[in-house]
Structures are given as structure tokens and as C-alpha cells.
């Protein structure tokens, strides 16, 4: 893939993510995307194939990135608490840098059909599985107690939905917020003693 093609494709995907995040997938027409990116319909299709392919790329790219990062962390063999903290930091950094893409992922992936939807759901489940592995590792290391299987969805829900309100460049960094969330999760919020 040439740099120009790749750069143009990324630009198209980025602008479409902003439009889908603002107006919804179904509320954004191909003509609107063409106008926003400054391309005719034929040139647009050269970069994206069709509108659903564009939604697929937006929906899958960031979760694939998070899966790659989680796999790398797990291979490093770090202690479970350290892994949880770093996975939370990486996720919040990514959400802060790609808010539009995450908004599209969370709100619009259900508009995908067939194999595309199946792949996005599988990628999301794979990411949840990495979190479960880390929690299980913490039990094996005797630093965490066994937890219900659904706790992973609760933890990720707490982190994921920061896309709605977190302001990058605000008074708290993504890493600081991740640490605050993990401290509350690991230590609880009940006053001890």
C-alpha cells in the first residue's frame, strides 16, 4: 500500500468516524462523507469499498489495537496487578486519542451484518478474555480473590464509557484516571477500620 493511498484511506476513515459519531451511521449518507473528505463517490469507494466496510474498519481497528497490546503485555509475564493497571492505562489512552472511533464502535457496530459483525463481536470477546486471564492470573498469584465472570464486563464498562465524558488535555490524564479506577477496584471504596 503506497503512503499516499494509506494516508488518504486513514483520512477518509477518520472523517467518517467523526461524522458517524456525531450524526450516527444511519444518519450519515455517502454524499455527506464525499463532501467532507473532498472526494467523488467513485474515489471514495476506491478507499473504502462501501459504507458498511467503512463502519467495519472504524469498529474493528481500535479493538484490534487493544488486543495486540494486551497480547504483548500478557507475553511479558508481568504480575497481575501490574497487568491490570497497564491494560487500563492503554485502553484509556486509546479512548482519549480516538473518541470518535470508540463512539462509533459502542453505538453503531450492531449495524454491521454477517461476517463483519461476527468478527467485531469476536474481537471484543477476545479482548474481554485477556482481562479475564489477568484476573485469573491474580488468583493464581494469590493477590486477587476469585471474581464472577461478569466482573470483566463491569470493569470494561467503567473504562469504556469514558468516551462519553473524558476530556483529553483536561485536569486528569488518561493514566491518572486509569489508576484512580484501578485503585477503587482493587482497594474498594469502603472506609477501612
Amino acid at each position: 500500500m503506497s503512503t499516499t493511498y494509506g494516508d488518504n484511506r486513514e483520512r477518509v476513515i477518520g472523517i467518517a468516524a467523526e461524522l458517524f459519531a456525531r450524526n450516527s451511521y444511519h444518519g450519515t449518507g455517502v454524499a455527506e462523507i464525499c463532501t467532507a473528505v473532498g472526494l467523488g463517490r467513485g474515489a471514495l469507494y476506491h478507499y473504502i469499498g462501501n459504507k458498511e466496510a467503512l463502519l467495519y474498519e472504524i469498529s474493528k481497528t481500535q479493538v484490534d489495537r487493544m488486543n495486540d497490546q494486551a497480547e504483548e503485555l500478557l507475553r511479558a509475564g508481568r504480575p497481575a496487578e501490574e497487568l491490570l493497571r497497564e491494560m487500563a492505562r492503554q485502553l484509556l489512552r486509546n479512548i482519549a486519542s480516538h473518541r470518535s472511533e470508540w463512539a462509533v464502535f459502542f453505538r453503531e457496530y450492531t449495524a454491521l451484518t454477517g461476517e463483519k459483525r461476527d468478527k467485531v463481536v469476536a474481537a471484543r470477546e477476545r479482548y474481554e478474555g485477556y482481562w479475564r486471564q489477568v484476573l485469573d492470573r491474580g488468583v493464581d498469584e494469590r493477590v486477587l480473590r476469585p471474581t464472577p465472570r461478569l466482573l470483566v464486563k463491569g470493569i470494561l464498562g467503567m473504562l469504556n464509557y469514558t468516551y462519553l465524558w473524558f476530556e483529553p488535555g483536561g485536569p486528569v490524564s488518561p493514566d491518572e484516571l486509569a489508576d484512580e479506577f484501578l485503585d477503587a477496584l482493587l482497594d474498594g471504596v469502603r472506609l477501612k477500620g
Side-chain angles (χ1 to χ4, degrees):
M1 179 179 342
S2 75
T3 302
T4 303
Y5 175 85
D7 290 346
N8 285 340
R9 188 170 189 279
E10 267 188 50
R11 187 176 71 80
V12 168
I13 291 169
I15 291 170
E18 290 172 15
L19 291 170
F20 292 169
R22 185 174 54 239
N23 304 326
S24 83
Y25 172 70
H26 293 296
T28 304
V30 172
E32 186 177 359
I33 298 168
C34 289
T35 299
V37 299
L39 294 172
R41 192 176 288 263
L44 181 70
Y45 286 128
H46 171 68
Y47 291 109
I48 63 161
N50 61 37
K51 189 176 158 187
E52 185 179 9
L54 183 55
L55 176 61
Y56 174 73
E57 285 299 318
I58 294 166
S59 297
K60 197 158 180 306
T61 298
Q62 299 311 317
V63 75
D64 280 350
R65 188 168 289 156
M66 297 315 305
N67 276 323
D68 291 345
Q69 290 175 355
E71 287 171 11
E72 186 177 324
L73 282 171
L74 283 165
R75 278 193 305 268
R78 295 157 81 175
E81 286 188 42
E82 192 178 313
L83 283 170
L84 285 172
R85 193 165 300 277
E86 189 55 34
M87 287 172 69
R89 288 174 178 170
Q90 287 181 348
L91 180 57
L92 289 189
R93 280 184 221 132
N94 189 287
I95 289 171
S97 298
H98 301 279
R99 283 178 74 186
S100 294
E101 290 90 338
W102 283 106
V104 172
F105 174 80
F106 290 122
R107 291 188 224 151
E108 306 289 349
Y109 85 89
T110 57
L112 293 168
T113 59
E115 187 178 334
K116 286 181 176 67
R117 184 176 180 164
D118 293 345
K119 286 182 178 181
V120 168
V121 169
R124 184 192 68 203
E125 289 173 356
R126 194 168 96 224
Y127 187 62
E128 290 177 8
Y130 293 132
W131 281 81
R132 180 81 252 158
Q133 285 179 47
V134 174
L135 290 172
D136 291 345
R137 183 181 291 186
V139 172
D140 294 343
E141 292 171 359
R142 299 184 187 276
V143 296
L144 299 176
R145 64 181 173 80
T147 56
R149 305 297 297 170
L150 287 176
L151 182 63
V152 170
K153 290 189 182 298
I155 294 167
L156 289 173
M158 178 176 63
L159 297 167
N160 287 340
Y161 286 93
T162 59
Y163 85 90
L164 290 169
W165 53 266
F166 182 74
E167 289 297 328
V172 177
S173 74
D175 284 3
E176 290 168 332
L177 182 60
D179 287 345
E180 287 178 22
F181 280 170
L182 262 290
D183 289 344
L185 175 71
L186 295 171
D187 299 334
V189 294
R190 183 178 300 124
L191 186 63
K192 310 278 191 259

